[in-house]
Structure formats: C-alpha cells, structure tokens
Amino acid sequence: MKKLFAIIFSVIGLVSMLPNIALAAGQKAPPLVVVAYTKGLSGLSLWWANLYNDNMLLFTILTGCVTPVAGILIGFVADYLLSLTGIDLTKRELAEH
Amino acid sequence: MEWLYLHMPISGVDLFWPGLVILGLGVGILGGFYGMGGAWMITPGLNILGFPMAFAIGTDIAHMAGKSIVSTIRHAKFGNVDYPLGIAMMLGTMIGFEVGAQIVMFLERIGKVDLYLRIIYLILLAFIFATVLLDYAKLKKKEKLAKEKGEQLDKLASGVTWYKTLHKIKIPPVMNFKEAQIRVSIWLPMIVGFATGVIAGLLGIGGGLIRMPALIYLVGCPTHVAVGTDLFEVMISGLYGTFTYTWKGRTELLAVFVMLIGAGIGAQFGAVATKYFKGIIIRVLFGSAVCIAALSIGQKLIARMYDLKWLDDVSTVTILGGLSILMVIIVVKAVIGMRQEVKMKKMGQA
C-alpha cells in the first residue's frame, strides 16, 4: 500500500511539473477562438455546447475527468470479454529480452 | 444512412462514426502492442474521415490518455510496467522536451526548420530500423553459434547489447529496477529520458517511437517491460495533454468517446497479444512500423518539395495500408496463440 501511495504521489508531482511533452502530437497550437454553434442542438448536446461557450474551466475539468473514467470502464468491459475466451489474463509465460 | 453519421456538438460537423471506431480499434491494438500513443498513426486517419484539424490534436491526445490507461493496467498485471523506471525516465524526458522545444524556437529564426527537422526525423527512423535489423541478425548469429555448440541461448540474450556498456557506469545512486531486472545508476534512465525528450521536443512528436527502442537498447529493459513502461509514460503525458488541449478548446469529447470504444478494446487486445510474441519478434514488428513511418514521411517530404498532390495521397495510403497489414499479423498470431493456450488448458484439465 505504501508503494502504491508513493507511486500515486510521485505521479501527481510529475504531472504538476509536466511541461509541453504531451502537446507533442503536432505543432504548437496557435491561439484559436472557436464558438460552438448551438442552433439545432438539444438535450445533452446543447448543454455540452453551452458549457463549452460559457465555462471553459468546468468543460476542461469534466473532459479531463470523464476521459480516464471512460477509458477504465471500457477497459473493464474489454477485460471481461477477453476473459470469456478462457485465456490466462494474470501472467505472461514468455520472459525474454 | 444518416444513422451512420454523428453530429459533433462543438465542431458542428457530422462524422462517420464507424470509421472513428475502426480507427480507434486499429491504433489501440498497435499502441497496446508497441507501447506507444501513436499520434503519427491517427492523424492521417482522422484527416481521411474529414475530422476538423483544429480539434484533431486535442481529441487524439484525450483518446490516447484513455486507451493508454487500459493498456497500462493490462501490462501491469503481466508485470510489464516498471513504475520507478518510468518515473525516472519521465523526469529526464520532461526536462529534455523543454530543451528540445527551446532549440526549435531558436532554429525557427534561421528558417527552413521544418524541412531540416523532417530530414532529421527520417534519419532517426532509418537508424532505429537499422538497429532492429542489426539486433535480429546478431541474435540469429548467436543462436546459430549456440546450436553448433549444442547449447541453448540464454532467454535474456539480445543481439544489440549497447546497454551492457552503459550498465558499467555506476554513478550513485544505483537502483534495482525489479520488473526490468536491471541494476543501474538512476542517472542512466534519466539521461536516456532526457536525450529522447530533446529529440521528441525537437521533432514535435510524443516520443514513444524513440523511447521504446531506447528502453531496450540503451537502458537494457526486456522488450515486454519496455512496452509497458513506455505506455505508463504515454498515460501520464496523455492525461496532462487532455487538460491543456481542452483548456485551449481543442477537444471534441463525443469523438473521444466513440474512438475510445474501439481503442479501449484494441489497447486491451494489443497488450494481451504481447503474451504470444517473443521479444525479438515484437522488436522486428516495431522496426517494420518504423520503416513504414519513414517511407510515408519520405513520400510526404518529396510531395511537399515538388508540390506533388498524388504523392501526398500515396504517403497516406502507405502509412494506413502498411499499419493495417501489421495489425492483421498481430491479430492473427495472437488469436492462434490464444486458441493454443485454451486448448492446452483443456488438455491439462482432462
């Protein structure tokens, strides 16, 4: 448990220090003002587009939190589907360089 | 056929959602297998699907964060993630990346930087590909010699052993990295991380493409552990990137979700697939992916230099076609391995 906490705190520390490393998938983004066009939208889509236009901070926090959660949930589903095949998902036999 | 198109609330475009799922699945498998984020694979695919480029990078990074969590968890269960090693490397990478980005800003004043950087990228990819080939040839030679002597080659033997020389440098503190099965000065992964960070910063890439072979050939990580540890780094940087790019208004969450459906399953499958491949085969397949990337970049470079639109299209076909072939190879081999494992299990129970 101690090790886990050490890892978690180290990771949090690193994330807070991270520079532009993650922005590396492309060239630096020039400043851009995009306004979501809400006409014709309704329900959740409308709320989401309005949030984008009105409260970028909340929009960012929600996106940043929902994405990993979605990843984990889909991971669990995929894990379950793979376990149905009957293969061992706990260890790897091959140990080579 | 309207149901095949999904309206994106932020960018306002209608996207062919099965295309996003398939793209996510493909990149998920390759990313989980090679230990990379794979932004260089996704961008041409998104381009074809007509995804607005203003949102491509942010959406790509957010989906990368989600899928690398899936594959990191899976690799960790197999004992493929060395967290202390990943953290040590990341420290170096962060500083290196900033240095690389500063160098680019300095070089931009000279002009024509883009062309030079693409050429450097090409040389680097060619070097990685050559290293993988050399590694394979040397390992085969060692195997042959051992066979002639009637011996069996050590399972941890590898062709290219530059890391053995680097392991002799014992500048304190020297650390034991359990999963990677190495005992080295902590400065080694940090300096290697720094070097790969500088290159990644210079080239404007995530760096998984360089870090994975660097972990194997310079740090001395077994291939499977290199894949898992690299994904751990991708996960951290992806999470950070999700926040920063979204803050700039560049993320289309609905597209992230749709891509994640494919990518999450693909990443899980790709990570599990490593179980059925020897380290050297993973390295050879990785080398093939690098070769395809180099070929595509080379074509793009020539297309831009001589304004050849058709060659630009050919480069997209090269990268997507080549990677699809590699994906099929991985899937087929993994399915055969899975079937064999289940068969053996049943035979053991009988």
Side-chain angles (χ1 to χ4, degrees), chain B residues 82 84-85 173-185:
Chain B
D82 197 311
L85 181 64
V174 175
M175 259 186 84
N176 209 10
F177 294 100
K178 196 180 144 213
E179 303 296 350
Q181 302 165 50
I182 50 170
R183 185 173 165 75
V184 291
S185 162

Side-chain angles (χ1 to χ4, degrees), chain A residues 75-89, chain B residues 74 264-273 338:
Chain A
F76 274 120
V77 174
D79 213 26
Y80 172 72
L81 291 176
L82 275 172
S83 69
L84 293 178
T85 61
I87 59 167
D88 187 353
L89 289 170
Chain B
R74 168 53 49 219
I265 295 169
Q268 184 80 280
F269 187 88
V272 172
M338 285 173 178

Side-chain angles (χ1 to χ4, degrees), chain B residues 10-33:
Chain B
I10 308 298
S11 55
V13 293
D14 293 318
L15 279 179
F16 182 64
W17 64 264
L20 282 179
V21 176
I22 294 166
L23 183 67
L25 182 75
V27 179
I29 292 175
L30 293 173
F33 185 80

Side-chain angles (χ1 to χ4, degrees), chain B residues 116-187:
Chain B
Y116 294 136
L117 289 180
R118 273 177 185 269
I119 292 170
I120 293 172
Y121 194 12
L122 211 57
I123 294 168
L124 184 77
L125 291 179
F127 175 72
I128 295 171
F129 181 57
T131 306
V132 172
L133 286 184
L134 180 73
D135 179 28
Y136 183 75
K138 277 190 165 185
L139 190 66
K140 286 289 146 193
K141 199 176 169 187
K142 279 183 185 174
E143 273 178 2
K144 198 179 162 193
L145 281 172
K147 211 175 179 184
E148 279 170 7
K149 286 181 191 170
E151 296 167 356
Q152 202 163 3
L153 194 66
D154 180 13
K155 277 190 172 181
L156 285 172
S158 63
V160 172
T161 54
W162 298 333
Y163 61 86
K164 282 187 180 170
T165 311
L166 295 171
H167 283 190
K168 286 177 190 160
I169 304 165
K170 299 279 184 195
I171 302 167
V174 175
M175 259 186 84
N176 209 10
F177 294 100
K178 196 180 144 213
E179 303 296 350
Q181 302 165 50
I182 50 170
R183 185 173 165 75
V184 291
S185 162
I186 193 151
W187 295 102

Side-chain angles (χ1 to χ4, degrees), chain A residues 22 24 30 52 79 86 88-89 97, chain B residues 74 204 237 249-250 275 341 345:
Chain A
Y52 179 87
D79 213 26
D88 187 353
L89 289 170
H97 197 277
Chain B
R74 168 53 49 219
S237 55
R250 303 291 189 96
K275 254 182 80 155
E341 189 186 326
K345 223 176 178 179

Side-chain angles (χ1 to χ4, degrees), chain B residues 218-262:
Chain B
L218 300 178
V219 179
C221 243
T223 307
H224 293 82
V225 180
V227 169
T229 307
D230 196 15
L231 273 168
F232 169 65
E233 273 206 58
V234 172
M235 179 184 84
I236 305 294
S237 55
L239 285 172
Y240 175 79
T242 304
F243 278 101
T244 50
Y245 261 88
T246 308
W247 180 241
K248 286 174 184 150
R250 303 291 189 96
T251 310
E252 181 68 87
L253 189 64
L254 186 58
V256 173
F257 281 162
V258 177
M259 279 175 84
L260 260 182
I261 294 170

